[in-house]
Amino acid sequence: MAMKLAVPAQVDFTEEVAEWIEAFDQIVVDEGPEQAAELIQVLRQRAREAGINTPGEIRTPYLNTIPKHDEVPYPGDRQMERKVEALIRWNAMAMVHGQNKKDAGIGGHISTYSSLATLLEVGFNHFFHAKYGDQPGDFVYFQGHASPGVYARAYLEGRLNDDHLKNFRHELREKPGLSSYPHPWLMPNFWRFPTVSMGIGPLNAIYQARFMRYLENRNLIEKTPRKVWAFVGDGETDEVETLGAISMASREKLDNLVFVVNCNLQRLDGPVRGNKRIIDELEGIFRGAGWNVIKVIWGSDWDALFERDHKGLLLKRMEECVDGEYQAFKAKGGAYVRKEFFGKYPELLELVSDMTDEQLARLHRGGHDSVKVYNAYKRAVEHRGGPTVILAKTVKGYGMGTTEARNAAHQEKKMTDDALTTFVKRFDIPVPEEAAKYGTPYKPADNAPEIQYLHERRKSLGGYMPHREVPEMNFKAPELDYFSEWTAGSKGRAVSTTMGFVSILRHLLKDPKIGKLIVPIVPDEGRTFGLESAIRQVGIYAAEGQKYKPHDVDMLLYYREEQDGQILEEGITEAGSMASFTAAGSAYSNYRVPAIPFYMYYSMFGFQRVGDMVWAFADSRGKGFLMAGTAGRTTMLGEGLQHQDGHSHVLMSAVPTCLSYDPAYVYELAVILQDGVRRMYHENEPVFYYITMYNEDYAMPEMPQTEGVREGIVRGIYKFKNAIKGKSDAHLFGSGPILNEAVRAQQILAEKYGVQTDVWSVTSYNELRREALSVERWNRLHPADAEKTPYIVQALKSAKGPIIAATDYMKAVPDQLSPWLGNRLVTLGTDGFGRSDNREHLRAHFEVNAESIVAATLSKLARDGKFDAKKAQAAFKELNVDTEKIDAARA
């Protein structure tokens, strides 16, 4: 029979615990909270020394961080601010409501702003500085779905008129319209930051705050108290970009950064955390990452209940509930709250026995209480040593009657007549009866007290927001002869275009005029791209300098970090690097500093990871150079499927303001860089560049002195090499390192098969196509005028015969020119997955090597009746081209 182990008797520590608590309470009373906190810290340390594992405290009770007795009085006229907020709420709702009544399905969002209004208004009235003296002010990343509220405020300010509001989401009508969300491209004098693609706003805000410090530490802007405010939805925090970089913010001690998380407990279709509490979760995440966390959960009308609750039952009940229940408490009214929330404990029922159901229903959450919000913001801006996050609890659809706090709130576009009347009463909105009945925008007279108050508050904070401007820049781009060292070729020395670029970059960094404006950005691949010399030259930016002695300090090219370092080496984060590129690329507007960012990265990862951010960069009217290193499907030998890029030029062709180039030689690169600096910073064009670079070494030729070469490089094509002997029978297009394969093919065709060909360097298929489409459109719209000719057709006007285009990218890249080249064009490209091998075998596999170009040329000539078909067939064997192998696109 098995023996039963004795169970140790349980020791009752109740009395002892009570004594400890009593003693601790006495310390708090006698000595103060600081000493009490120090005692707890000492006890924790003693426990660790004794080998006792004490779990870290990553969340605090479900209460406001700032207790009532620590609050400061509200400095504004609360009655006047309530009137202003009520009018903005009305106009935001009326804008969306009215538009959907006359144009069903046009969309728009009411419920997000209804939850956010107080959080924004406290900021607009007391914290958001438009400028500090003559320096730029705070930056605010607005929640994208709350844009109607921002428009409604600008309407009261007189910055937008009735026509604007009537044309919300009508941007293509006869009157000026308003874009759906924050879009600087569409409203370049209003919005600064595109934010509605979830996660991008918070990530960009973090790196914007860091870039602000970078500019300050490099003495490019003055140090001011300016802040970066990011308004974030609680559901948005599920996007990995939102929280992915928060440790960087605390690591860099970005006390110029404030996150305001609008915790209305709902995402688009339901609760964010129905079975948990999102505020608890976020508090733990941010506190664990080293942020200063301020919770604004309960409004002032809860304070009296807390004071009367001597047993702590109210807090106990609050911590028993999950967000799904809190959503129901707001959706189902006061009687439900009395029964389901307070009714669990008789003492709590007694606590609210003197309150009506309507009063219970109106108990405020902290994010709708201006006093609570003001105190949180004040603490945030005064905090030093790190970033702050404010977790503000709100109600989605706040004040919207039957929609309030319900899952459908996000989709609400218009309200019933009864709901409009209720809305007006709920917020005591001073609108005329006619406006209340039909849901039309309303603005009091300019001399109305609330309008004057609104203007006074913004005047005291430096002006109106949001606002974007592009100051005049006295920027002189260097001429092409500035780059003569690189247009002269490498004199037979084998180098890569990447090394050529780094050499140009170092030269730019030394320039006394523009060198300080260069912002090199690299995601932990500086040595891969050969940046060691640049690191030694200008240093890597480190907010606190270099607090250690690097192990390679005795070497010439040691790893040097400086507080005023110029290189942003971001670590292994393409998203973070792209956020830095965005901050730098829009600095010409935001900081009045024409920063010139060069972001170097693996072409395969760089765009695939951050395609949405590249699109937002274009929306931001960003400028700069994306330098895609180790590019190409066959040039990046050995690495294989996940590294070899054959499609980035296809992807980049989708971005309207991106000019993409694939240079083969350093002189082409120099011409493109010079023209890019000129267009973006001298001519002030809102474009940016995507340029592929390679790690293949070969001799760089001198730039041909032929007329039109420079224009051809910039516009996309020029003749690189005439036929070896006599008139050409065909034309070979090449770009990047594959241009060398075309040159080799030209030699084979001439020597072995008596076929003469011209070789053309195609630096940008994308730009050729765009220009051709533009000309085609003009011709279509002007049938009575003489036709214009696309550049690709002009360039090839005397070039007869077939064209064989070989690229290290998908066939879709050259195929863009098919409408203008017809059946003359034969495309060879690298469709399919990459492989781990050397360049020789990779190019044979994808059929873009010289032998494959020769075979394609002979085959096309044979099909056109210009070459003997049997000889062409025999040539395949001579060239070792396997005609029966599987198509690389499917391999």
Side-chain angles (χ1 to χ4, degrees):
M1 185 175 178
M3 292 180 59
K4 282 190 174 181
L5 295 175
V7 179
Q10 297 295 313
V11 180
D12 187 357
F13 284 109
T14 305
E15 290 187 15
E16 189 171 349
V17 168
E19 291 175 6
W20 276 85
I21 291 175
E22 184 180 349
F24 179 77
D25 288 345
Q26 196 62 45
I27 291 174
V28 173
V29 173
D30 295 344
E31 307 293 337
E34 290 81 9
Q35 283 74 13
E38 185 177 340
L39 173 62
I40 292 175
Q41 184 64 30
V42 171
L43 288 172
R44 281 185 176 276
Q45 179 64 29
R46 182 62 185 140
R48 284 193 290 268
E49 291 169 355
I52 299 169
N53 181 29
T54 58
E57 187 178 275
I58 60 170
R59 82 164 193 86
T60 57
Y62 202 62
L63 294 171
N64 294 343
T65 301
I66 304 172
K68 180 175 173 55
H69 60 263
D70 282 346
E71 291 176 358
V72 299
Y74 194 77
D77 184 331
R78 292 187 65 192
Q79 183 178 1
M80 199 63 70
E81 289 183 23
R82 285 193 190 99
K83 288 184 178 181
V84 171
E85 183 179 315
L87 286 168
I88 295 172
R89 284 182 181 277
W90 173 260
N91 286 319
M93 183 280 302
M95 184 192 323
V96 179
H97 170 86
Q99 205 68 323
N100 280 272
K101 284 191 75 171
K102 67 186 181 187
D103 193 349
I106 197 66
H109 300 275
I110 305 173
S111 56
T112 294
Y113 178 71
S114 68
S115 67
L116 190 66
T118 302
L119 293 170
L120 285 183
E121 281 305 295
V122 173
F124 275 122
N125 286 318
H126 301 285
F127 292 95
F128 300 161
H129 289 257
K131 59 185 178 181
Y132 291 90
D134 61 350
Q135 292 297 306
D138 298 332
F139 296 151
V140 183
Y141 287 76
F142 294 97
Q143 241 184 298
H145 290 99
S147 59
V150 182
Y151 290 142
R153 168 171 260 274
Y155 173 65
L156 290 187
E157 293 167 340
R159 297 198 295 143
L160 299 177
N161 57 36
D162 288 309
D163 284 334
H164 285 108
L165 266 62
K166 289 174 183 176
N167 282 292
F168 171 62
R169 293 198 171 203
H170 282 177
E171 297 181 85
L172 303 176
R173 312 298 168 101
E174 67 279 0
K175 297 288 179 68
L178 298 178
S179 63
S180 54
Y181 304 120
H183 293 302
W185 184 261
L186 301 174
M187 297 179 66
N189 300 317
F190 193 84
W191 295 114
R192 282 188 186 272
F193 311 111
T195 54
V196 82
S197 190
M198 300 292 97
I200 287 180
L203 179 63
N204 278 331
I206 291 173
Y207 280 85
Q208 183 73 254
R210 199 279 293 268
F211 190 70
M212 187 183 288
R213 288 283 185 259
Y214 168 88
L215 292 177
E216 289 173 352
N217 286 330
R218 293 191 55 225
N219 296 313
L220 292 174
I221 61 173
E222 291 183 21
K223 292 183 179 180
T224 69
R226 62 171 71 90
K227 301 287 183 185
V228 175
W229 297 79
F231 286 83
V232 184
D234 50 356
E236 187 176 6
T237 61
D238 283 342
E239 285 285 4
V240 293
E241 291 91 347
T242 302
L243 302 179
I246 61 172
S247 61
M248 191 276 277
S250 54
R251 184 169 65 249
E252 300 251 342
K253 300 181 178 179
L254 298 178
D255 51 20
N256 59 342
L257 176 64
V258 180
F259 268 28
V260 182
V261 184
N262 179 19
C263 297
N264 59 33
L265 313 186
Q266 286 182 241
R267 42 186 173 77
L268 274 64
D269 293 327
V272 177
R273 294 290 184 273
N275 297 312
K276 303 282 185 181
R277 287 191 297 272
I278 187 62
I279 289 178
D280 286 348
E281 180 182 320
L282 293 178
E283 179 183 22
I285 291 170
F286 279 99
R287 194 180 295 279
W291 285 53
N292 174 41
V293 179
I294 301 174
K295 295 190 296 186
V296 184
I297 302 178
W298 308 112
S300 298
D301 41 12
W302 286 90
D303 289 338
L305 296 179
F306 279 115
E307 289 174 4
R308 286 156 48 191
D309 174 33
H310 303 296
K311 294 185 177 180
L313 274 179
L314 185 55
L315 176 59
K316 174 181 171 65
R317 182 69 185 111
M318 288 172 170
E319 298 208 322
E320 290 172 347
C321 296
V322 294
D323 283 351
E325 292 173 290
Y326 281 117
Q327 189 179 355
F329 295 148
K330 278 300 177 186
K332 294 190 174 184
Y336 182 85
V337 172
R338 187 185 302 277
K339 177 184 176 184
E340 298 297 332
F341 180 78
F342 292 101
K344 183 169 182 179
Y345 300 108
E347 295 92 335
L348 289 184
L349 269 180
E350 179 61 28
L351 189 69
V352 296
S353 61
D354 59 342
M355 297 177 69
T356 66
D357 288 348
E358 184 178 359
Q359 286 175 316
L360 293 182
R362 295 287 179 88
L363 283 169
H364 284 78
R365 291 179 178 175
H368 301 299
D369 188 315
S370 55
V371 173
K372 304 296 184 184
V373 173
Y374 176 85
N375 276 272
Y377 285 5
K378 185 173 186 294
R379 283 272 185 101
V381 299
E382 292 174 353
H383 179 72
R384 297 292 177 266
T388 294
V389 60
I390 296 167
L391 304 176
K393 192 173 185 179
T394 64
V395 180
K396 192 155 190 175
Y398 180 65
M400 291 172 57
T402 57
T403 304
E404 183 173 281
R406 295 183 181 274
N407 290 335
H410 187 80
Q411 305 301 331
E412 191 72 14
K413 312 299 180 192
K414 53 189 177 182
M415 300 172 73
T416 65
D417 291 345
D418 289 343
L420 288 172
T421 303
T422 303
F423 191 81
V424 170
K425 290 180 179 178
R426 171 71 180 270
F427 295 106
D428 193 23
I429 301 173
V431 297
E433 185 176 337
E434 193 73 6
K437 182 178 179 181
Y438 293 105
T440 56
Y442 171 71
K443 180 185 175 184
D446 289 343
N447 62 356
E450 56 268 39
I451 299 299
Q452 291 184 333
Y453 182 86
L454 176 148
H455 287 300
E456 288 168 5
R457 294 311 308 146
R458 289 315 308 163
K459 184 178 180 181
S460 71
L461 293 168
Y464 301 101
M465 298 174 68
H467 175 68
R468 181 184 179 276
E469 62 182 340
V470 180
E472 288 289 330
M473 293 291 177
N474 185 22
F475 188 98
K476 176 68 175 173
E479 300 295 336
L480 186 59
D481 57 10
Y482 179 87
F483 298 88
S484 59
E485 179 182 339
W486 298 277
T487 57
S490 62
K491 308 298 188 278
R493 184 168 57 95
V495 297
S496 67
T497 51
T498 301
M499 290 302 98
F501 165 70
V502 171
S503 178
I504 293 173
L505 179 66
R506 290 188 60 206
H507 185 70
L508 289 170
L509 288 167
K510 293 176 183 176
D511 188 276
K513 293 182 179 178
I514 66 173
K516 64 182 180 180
L517 302 174
I518 305 297
V519 182
I521 305 168
V522 61
D524 200 42
E525 289 154 351
R527 294 183 187 275
T528 301
F529 298 132
L531 283 174
E532 295 98 324
S533 54
I535 291 172
R536 181 68 179 89
Q537 179 181 338
V538 297
I540 293 169
Y541 173 73
E544 299 178 277
Q546 193 159 31
K547 300 195 292 186
Y548 65 95
K549 186 176 182 180
H551 73 88
D552 55 357
V553 70
D554 55 338
M555 300 177 66
L556 177 63
L557 302 179
Y558 70 90
Y559 193 85
R560 183 166 76 93
E561 297 183 271
E562 300 288 351
Q563 191 174 33
D564 62 350
Q566 197 159 345
I567 298 172
L568 291 173
E569 186 165 42
E570 303 293 11
I572 305 174
T573 167
E574 283 82 11
S577 300
M578 190 65 211
S580 280
F581 184 68
T582 299
S586 54
Y588 70 95
S589 171
N590 293 330
Y591 299 99
R592 308 169 191 164
V593 175
I596 308 174
F598 289 89
Y599 170 27
M600 295 151 276
Y601 59 91
Y602 271 62
S603 66
M604 180 71 165
F605 308 132
F607 184 55
Q608 293 189 145
R609 291 280 180 90
V610 294
D612 205 11
M613 294 187 69
V614 172
W615 193 259
F617 180 83
D619 191 353
S620 299
R621 297 175 170 259
K623 303 176 183 182
F625 295 94
L626 291 172
M627 306 301 298
T630 59
R633 189 86 83 198
T634 70
T635 310
M636 178 60 174
L637 75 171
E639 290 291 334
L641 182 151
Q642 197 73 24
H643 288 66
Q644 292 165 346
D645 164 34
H647 51 280
S648 64
H649 279 285
V650 177
L651 301 175
M652 282 301 190
S653 71
V655 185
T657 61
C658 178
L659 283 64
S660 57
Y661 287 90
D662 186 26
Y665 303 125
V666 172
Y667 72 78
E668 295 178 344
L669 180 62
V671 168
I672 294 164
L673 291 174
Q674 187 275 334
D675 193 62
V677 172
R678 179 190 65 81
R679 288 183 65 176
M680 291 186 289
Y681 298 93
H682 185 80
E683 302 296 337
N684 207 21
E685 287 189 50
V687 296
F688 68 103
Y689 283 68
Y690 175 76
I691 303 174
T692 38
M693 308 182 297
Y694 299 89
N695 62 339
E696 183 174 354
D697 294 333
Y698 45 83
M700 296 292 164
E702 182 181 359
M703 180 176 172
Q705 299 305 305
T706 313
E707 183 181 353
V709 169
R710 178 178 179 178
E711 180 187 14
I713 292 172
V714 171
R715 299 187 72 171
I717 189 171
Y718 68 97
K719 187 185 289 187
F720 173 67
K721 194 171 184 183
N722 286 315
I724 293 174
K725 185 179 180 181
K727 189 178 179 182
S728 62
D729 303 302
H731 303 273
L732 308 181
F733 284 8
S735 46
I738 303 302
L739 180 57
N740 293 325
E741 296 294 326
V743 171
R744 193 160 66 87
Q746 179 192 47
Q747 192 78 21
I748 296 172
L749 283 163
E751 293 178 357
K752 294 191 69 172
Y753 303 104
V755 174
Q756 297 299 318
T757 55
D758 292 336
V759 177
W760 299 74
S761 176
V762 186
T763 53
S764 181
Y765 286 101
N766 288 344
E767 287 309 298
L768 288 171
R769 174 180 180 271
R770 283 176 176 167
E771 191 270 348
L773 287 173
S774 178
V775 170
E776 186 179 82
R777 177 181 178 274
W778 190 93
N779 290 337
R780 184 175 71 250
L781 296 175
H782 302 82
D785 295 320
E787 276 198 342
K788 295 182 178 181
T789 305
Y791 186 77
I792 181 62
V793 177
Q794 291 179 43
L796 295 170
K797 63 182 177 181
S798 60
K800 309 302 180 183
I803 297 166
I804 287 72
T807 175
D808 219 4
Y809 297 88
M810 296 174 65
K811 297 180 180 70
V813 175
D815 281 349
Q816 295 178 94
L817 301 184
S818 294
W820 301 277
L821 302 180
N823 65 0
R824 297 176 64 192
L825 180 65
V826 176
T827 299
L828 304 178
T830 58
D831 298 59
F833 286 121
R835 293 290 195 281
S836 295
D837 215 311
N838 65 17
R839 296 185 184 112
E840 177 186 355
H841 286 83
L842 285 169
R843 288 170 181 164
H845 171 73
F846 285 105
E847 300 166 9
V848 295
N849 59 353
E851 289 76 12
S852 295
I853 296 172
V854 171
T857 305
L858 297 177
S859 179
K860 178 60 176 171
L861 287 169
R863 291 289 183 188
D864 291 349
K866 304 294 184 181
F867 193 83
D868 185 275
K870 290 185 178 179
K871 288 183 179 179
Q873 190 71 49
F876 278 75
K877 188 172 183 180
E878 296 170 4
L879 295 165
N880 200 28
V881 173
D882 186 352
T883 60
E884 304 307 315
K885 80 176 183 67
I886 189 171
D887 185 350
R890 296 177 173 82

Coordinates of all heavy atoms in Angstrom, one line a residue, residues 301-302 329-338 342 355-365 395 398 404 426:
D301 N -15.7 62.6 -11.9 CA -16.9 62.2 -11.1 C -16.7 60.8 -10.4 O -17.6 60.5 -9.6 CB -18.1 62.2 -12.1 CG -17.8 61.6 -13.4 OD1 -16.8 61.0 -13.6 OD2 -18.7 61.8 -14.3
W302 N -15.6 60.1 -10.7 CA -15.4 58.9 -9.9 C -14.6 59.2 -8.6 O -14.6 58.4 -7.7 CB -14.5 57.9 -10.7 CG -15.2 57.2 -11.8 CD1 -15.4 57.6 -13.1 CD2 -15.9 56.0 -11.7 NE1 -16.1 56.7 -13.8 CE2 -16.4 55.7 -13.0 CE3 -16.1 55.1 -10.7 CZ2 -17.2 54.5 -13.3 CZ3 -16.9 53.9 -11.0 CH2 -17.4 53.7 -12.3
F329 N -20.9 48.0 -20.4 CA -21.3 49.0 -19.5 C -21.7 50.4 -20.1 O -22.6 51.0 -19.7 CB -20.3 49.2 -18.4 CG -20.0 48.0 -17.5 CD1 -18.7 47.8 -17.0 CD2 -21.0 47.1 -17.3 CE1 -18.4 46.7 -16.2 CE2 -20.7 46.0 -16.5 CZ -19.4 45.8 -16.0
K330 N -20.9 50.7 -21.2 CA -21.1 52.0 -21.8 C -22.2 51.8 -22.9 O -22.9 52.8 -23.2 CB -19.9 52.5 -22.5 CG -19.0 53.3 -21.5 CD -19.7 54.5 -20.9 CE -18.9 55.3 -19.9 NZ -19.7 56.3 -19.3
A331 N -22.4 50.7 -23.4 CA -23.4 50.5 -24.5 C -24.8 50.3 -24.0 O -25.7 50.6 -24.7 CB -23.0 49.3 -25.4
K332 N -24.9 49.8 -22.8 CA -26.3 49.3 -22.3 C -26.9 50.2 -21.3 O -28.0 49.9 -20.8 CB -26.2 47.9 -21.8 CG -25.8 46.9 -22.9 CD -26.0 45.5 -22.4 CE -25.8 44.5 -23.6 NZ -26.0 43.1 -23.2
G333 N -26.3 51.3 -20.9 CA -27.0 52.3 -20.0 C -26.8 52.1 -18.5 O -26.2 51.1 -18.0
G334 N -27.3 53.1 -17.8 CA -27.1 53.2 -16.3 C -27.7 52.0 -15.5 O -27.1 51.6 -14.6
A335 N -28.9 51.6 -15.9 CA -29.6 50.5 -15.1 C -28.7 49.2 -15.2 O -28.5 48.5 -14.3 CB -31.0 50.2 -15.7
Y336 N -28.1 49.0 -16.4 CA -27.3 47.8 -16.6 C -26.0 48.0 -15.8 O -25.6 47.0 -15.1 CB -26.9 47.7 -18.1 CG -26.1 46.5 -18.4 CD1 -26.7 45.3 -18.7 CD2 -24.7 46.6 -18.5 CE1 -25.9 44.2 -19.0 CE2 -23.9 45.5 -18.8 CZ -24.5 44.3 -19.1 OH -23.7 43.2 -19.4
V337 N -25.5 49.2 -15.7 CA -24.3 49.4 -14.9 C -24.6 49.2 -13.4 O -23.8 48.5 -12.7 CB -23.7 50.8 -15.1 CG1 -22.6 51.2 -14.2 CG2 -23.3 51.0 -16.6
R338 N -25.7 49.7 -13.0 CA -26.1 49.5 -11.6 C -26.1 48.0 -11.2 O -25.6 47.5 -10.2 CB -27.4 50.1 -11.3 CG -27.8 50.2 -9.8 CD -29.2 50.7 -9.6 NE -29.3 52.1 -10.1 CZ -28.9 53.2 -9.4 NH1 -28.4 53.1 -8.2 NH2 -29.1 54.4 -10.0
F342 N -22.0 47.6 -10.2 CA -22.1 47.8 -8.8 C -22.9 46.7 -8.0 O -22.6 46.5 -6.9 CB -22.8 49.2 -8.6 CG -22.0 50.4 -9.0 CD1 -22.3 51.0 -10.2 CD2 -20.9 50.8 -8.3 CE1 -21.5 52.1 -10.7 CE2 -20.2 51.9 -8.7 CZ -20.5 52.5 -9.9
M355 N -27.5 58.0 -6.6 CA -27.3 58.4 -8.0 C -28.4 57.8 -8.9 O -28.8 56.6 -8.7 CB -25.9 58.0 -8.5 CG -24.7 58.6 -7.7 SD -23.1 58.0 -8.2 CE -23.0 58.7 -9.9
T356 N -28.8 58.6 -9.9 CA -29.8 58.1 -10.8 C -29.1 57.2 -11.9 O -27.9 57.2 -12.0 CB -30.5 59.2 -11.5 OG1 -29.5 59.9 -12.4 CG2 -31.1 60.2 -10.5
D357 N -29.9 56.4 -12.6 CA -29.3 55.6 -13.7 C -28.6 56.5 -14.7 O -27.6 56.1 -15.3 CB -30.4 54.8 -14.4 CG -30.9 53.7 -13.5 OD1 -30.3 53.4 -12.5 OD2 -32.0 53.1 -13.8
E358 N -29.2 57.6 -15.0 CA -28.6 58.5 -16.0 C -27.2 59.0 -15.5 O -26.3 59.1 -16.3 CB -29.5 59.7 -16.3 CG -28.9 60.6 -17.4 CD -29.8 61.8 -17.7 OE1 -30.9 61.9 -17.1 OE2 -29.4 62.6 -18.5
Q359 N -27.1 59.3 -14.2 CA -25.8 59.7 -13.7 C -24.8 58.6 -13.8 O -23.6 58.8 -14.0 CB -26.0 60.1 -12.2 CG -26.7 61.5 -12.0 CD -26.9 61.8 -10.6 OE1 -27.4 61.0 -9.8 NE2 -26.6 63.1 -10.2
L360 N -25.2 57.4 -13.5 CA -24.3 56.2 -13.6 C -23.9 56.0 -15.1 O -22.7 55.7 -15.3 CB -25.0 54.9 -13.1 CG -25.3 54.9 -11.6 CD1 -25.9 53.5 -11.3 CD2 -24.1 55.1 -10.8
A361 N -24.8 56.2 -16.0 CA -24.4 56.1 -17.4 C -23.4 57.1 -17.8 O -22.6 56.9 -18.7 CB -25.7 56.2 -18.3
R362 N -23.5 58.3 -17.2 CA -22.6 59.4 -17.6 C -21.3 59.5 -16.8 O -20.5 60.4 -17.0 CB -23.4 60.8 -17.4 CG -24.6 60.9 -18.3 CD -24.2 61.2 -19.7 NE -25.3 61.4 -20.6 CZ -26.0 62.5 -20.8 NH1 -25.5 63.6 -20.1 NH2 -27.0 62.6 -21.6
L363 N -21.0 58.6 -15.9 CA -19.7 58.5 -15.2 C -18.6 58.5 -16.3 O -18.6 57.7 -17.2 CB -19.6 57.3 -14.3 CG -20.4 57.4 -13.0 CD1 -20.4 56.0 -12.3 CD2 -19.7 58.4 -12.1
H364 N -17.8 59.5 -16.2 CA -16.8 59.7 -17.3 C -15.6 58.8 -17.2 O -15.1 58.4 -16.1 CB -16.3 61.1 -17.3 CG -17.2 62.1 -17.8 ND1 -18.3 62.6 -17.1 CD2 -17.3 62.8 -19.0 CE1 -19.0 63.5 -17.8 NE2 -18.4 63.6 -19.0
R365 N -15.1 58.4 -18.4 CA -13.7 57.9 -18.5 C -12.7 59.0 -18.5 O -13.0 60.1 -19.0 CB -13.6 56.9 -19.7 CG -14.5 55.7 -19.5 CD -14.4 54.8 -20.7 NE -15.2 53.5 -20.5 CZ -15.4 52.6 -21.4 NH1 -14.9 52.7 -22.6 NH2 -16.1 51.5 -21.1
V395 N -14.4 56.3 -24.8 CA -15.5 55.5 -25.4 C -15.6 55.8 -26.9 O -15.7 56.9 -27.3 CB -16.8 56.0 -24.7 CG1 -18.0 55.2 -25.3 CG2 -16.8 55.8 -23.2
Y398 N -18.4 58.2 -28.5 CA -18.8 58.9 -27.4 C -19.9 59.9 -27.7 O -19.7 60.8 -28.6 CB -17.6 59.6 -26.7 CG -17.9 60.4 -25.5 CD1 -18.3 59.8 -24.3 CD2 -17.7 61.8 -25.5 CE1 -18.5 60.5 -23.2 CE2 -17.9 62.5 -24.3 CZ -18.3 61.9 -23.2 OH -18.6 62.6 -22.0
E404 N -23.0 54.3 -29.4 CA -21.9 54.5 -28.4 C -21.4 53.1 -27.9 O -22.2 52.3 -27.4 CB -22.3 55.4 -27.2 CG -21.2 55.6 -26.2 CD -21.7 56.7 -25.2 OE1 -21.7 57.9 -25.5 OE2 -22.1 56.2 -24.1
R426 N -26.8 66.3 -25.7 CA -25.8 65.7 -24.9 C -24.6 66.6 -24.6 O -24.1 66.7 -23.5 CB -25.3 64.4 -25.6 CG -24.1 63.7 -25.0 CD -24.4 63.1 -23.6 NE -23.2 62.5 -23.1 CZ -22.8 61.2 -23.3 NH1 -23.5 60.4 -24.1 NH2 -21.8 60.7 -22.6

